[in-house]
Amino acid sequence: MEMEEAPTYAPSIAVLNVQEMVRRDPLHVPQRYIRSEEDRPKLSKPSHLSSQIPIIDLSLLAIGDNEELSKLDLASQSWGFFQVVNHGVAEDILNSMKKLSTEFFELPIKEKEKYSMPLNDIHGYGHAYVVSDEQLLDWSDALMLLVHPTNYRKIQFWPVKPDGFKEIIESYSNGIRKVAEQLLVSFSLIMGMKQDVILGMHKKLVQALRINYYPTCSIPDQVLGISPHSDTSTITILMQDDDVAGLQIRHNENWVSVNPIPNALVVNVGDVLEIWSNGKYKSVEHRAITNEKITRISYASFLLPHDDVDIEPLDHMINPQRPIKIYKRVKYGEYLRSSMKRKMEGKAHVDMAKY
Ligand code: OGA
Ligand code: NI
């Protein structure tokens, strides 16, 4: 059988490495990182809503528990975000992933530059979504890898240092994939379908990993770690550090912090699930903020359909509750690439798929 080649995604303009900039001069923040007044995070006013972000027990979903399925249904409608506990990924895998990733980012820049993101694609170490010389920049660097299917891997971007990093990326990603498959089974069920339907609709369940590195910033109230965006995935599964918050989601016009629960995973509905469900499940806008004292690392796994899949609302999701088909049919590969050619900008992209 012929092996399908790894697709290329999108170009991005090369920009300064933030970690290196902070190492050289911790107090200097160039103008291109400074946000306008209305986009700046209000660090002094944490929202009391954080404690209401739903927590879902994956071991209950796995046995088809109806109460937990209904929690998933409500969480995905009202928040678009939830945290997952009892997910079955071993604690030592989570910890080794964190330890070796930290060691990678602490390597000298010369070593990390061996994996620099090329100008025409998004694999490797660098910055994606930079599309113009005027665009404001995010206070972060990232390592981005395509993990599944395995023939999409570009192994030249997989760091050989530190020892064992490649191997832990592999086992972490396999663990996350099982969690994703269980969640997609549960989404099939709460959308009234047989359990394997949504997985099957992906043709191939593509999995990408982005490890985000947010250096400390001397003026965290004037910059953003990641600009507001929704994810173009079906779902995203994120591990974050236990001791520092940074992820915020938009909920009724407030920015609400998703505070870390040790060993839990943060899951969010992406644009694809919003489109398939005809807007019932929400791909919610989110961003990351930085802080003055602690470097933060997050590990985002994106689960997405194969490029060839046509995405549109499922027939039975156009129903008396949502009688109008909100999104037109789009080829997923085109949707993804046109989003990557734009800077991250809230929900502007999924809105383009609307009628
Ligand atoms: C992302 C993302 C948030 C975070 O990588 O898409 O939203 O907390 N990350 O790092
Ligand atoms: Ni995101």
Side-chain angles (χ1 to χ4, degrees):
M1 210 179 80
E2 206 186 321
M3 279 284 256
E4 186 195 3
E5 257 197 68
T8 51
Y9 287 89
S12 186
I13 298 170
V15 293
L16 287 180
N17 183 278
V18 179
Q19 183 181 358
E20 205 52 21
M21 200 163 68
V22 174
R23 191 181 63 78
R24 290 202 187 124
D25 185 354
L27 295 181
H28 180 60
V29 180
Q31 206 56 38
R32 272 191 88 186
Y33 296 86
I34 307 281
R35 301 284 163 163
S36 66
E37 205 70 54
E38 66 272 17
D39 293 339
R40 292 180 185 177
K42 305 210 171 21
L43 303 181
S44 55
K45 282 202 297 182
S47 168
H48 66 284
L49 292 170
S50 289
S51 61
Q52 292 180 26
I53 296 171
I55 298 170
I56 303 243
D57 185 331
L58 198 78
S59 69
L60 292 175
L61 290 183
I63 57 166
D65 183 272
N66 278 324
E67 213 172 301
E68 212 61 16
L69 284 164
S70 123
K71 265 171 82 175
L72 175 68
D73 183 56
L74 286 176
S76 307
Q77 289 184 61
S78 57
W79 287 92
F81 267 82
F82 49 90
Q83 304 216 46
V84 168
V85 296
N86 294 327
H87 47 65
V89 189
E91 210 176 305
D92 53 310
I93 291 187
L94 305 182
N95 290 337
S96 306
M97 182 68 180
K98 288 174 177 168
K99 179 168 174 283
L100 292 172
S101 301
T102 305
E103 286 175 24
F104 170 75
F105 286 104
E106 284 170 354
L107 290 171
I109 185 73
K110 279 272 163 289
E111 178 66 30
K112 289 182 287 190
E113 276 173 349
K114 293 179 181 165
Y115 310 102
S116 283
M117 202 177 277
L119 291 172
N120 67 341
D121 211 352
I122 47 141
H123 298 254
Y125 180 60
H127 307 84
Y129 294 97
V130 184
V131 294
S132 92
D133 293 326
E134 289 92 58
Q135 182 187 333
L136 292 187
L137 298 176
D138 294 340
W139 198 257
S140 56
D141 309 310
L143 177 67
M144 179 95 175
L145 299 171
L146 222 57
V147 180
H148 277 289
T150 49
N151 56 302
Y152 282 18
R153 291 183 189 180
K154 296 205 169 152
I155 216 65
Q156 65 269 35
F157 297 110
W158 288 55
V160 299
K161 284 185 190 171
D163 248 5
F165 189 29
K166 274 192 205 172
E167 289 74 14
I168 195 69
I169 290 174
E170 174 95 55
S171 36
Y172 173 75
S173 296
N174 288 339
I176 292 295
R177 193 171 181 82
K178 295 206 178 76
V179 175
E181 286 170 349
Q182 178 58 61
L183 287 167
L184 294 177
V185 160
S186 302
F187 275 110
S188 290
L189 296 176
I190 61 178
M191 289 165 82
M193 303 182 291
K194 292 223 170 69
Q195 63 170 25
D196 291 329
V197 174
I198 291 191
L199 260 171
M201 281 163 37
H202 287 76
K203 212 161 139 186
K204 269 180 192 150
L205 183 62
V206 178
Q207 184 173 354
L209 173 71
R210 180 163 72 217
I211 310 181
N212 300 298
Y213 184 92
Y214 302 100
T216 54
C217 182
S218 59
I219 44 168
D221 50 344
Q222 296 181 45
V223 308
L224 288 174
I226 263 196
S227 301
H229 66 282
S230 69
D231 291 347
T232 41
S233 55
T234 306
I235 56 171
T236 303
I237 303 181
L238 181 106
M239 172 168 75
Q240 50 176 350
D241 286 339
D242 291 340
D243 53 350
V244 50
L247 172 62
Q248 296 186 330
I249 65 181
R250 203 201 271 285
H251 185 73
N252 303 336
E253 301 311 305
N254 300 306
W255 286 104
V256 180
S257 170
V258 182
N259 293 332
I261 300 173
N263 297 319
L265 297 166
V266 178
V267 176
N268 65 283
V269 170
D271 296 348
V272 175
L273 200 50
E274 175 170 315
I275 293 171
W276 277 337
S277 69
N278 198 30
K280 177 176 188 185
Y281 301 132
K282 306 286 186 314
S283 175
V284 163
E285 216 181 308
H286 53 284
R287 68 183 187 184
I289 61 168
T290 64
N291 75 86
E292 225 178 318
K293 293 270 151 48
I294 314 176
T295 297
R296 175 171 177 267
I297 305 181
S298 72
Y299 312 76
S301 299
F302 303 96
L303 287 302
L304 32 134
H306 187 272
D307 278 347
D308 287 351
V309 174
D310 281 326
I311 307 289
E312 67 183 320
L314 299 174
D315 284 342
H316 76 282
M317 298 305 288
I318 306 162
N319 55 31
Q321 279 89 50
R322 274 163 300 278
I324 294 169
K325 182 178 175 185
I326 306 178
Y327 302 101
K328 47 194 172 207
R329 184 191 301 179
V330 283
K331 180 82 66 200
Y332 183 66
E334 285 167 21
Y335 181 77
L336 179 62
R337 279 166 190 72
S338 74
S339 120
M340 286 178 163
K341 281 191 209 128
R342 298 160 59 96
K343 60 182 173 143
M344 286 189 179
E345 196 175 30
K347 293 202 55 164
H349 196 69
V350 72
D351 283 346
M352 271 173 35
K354 284 186 172 160
Y355 279 108

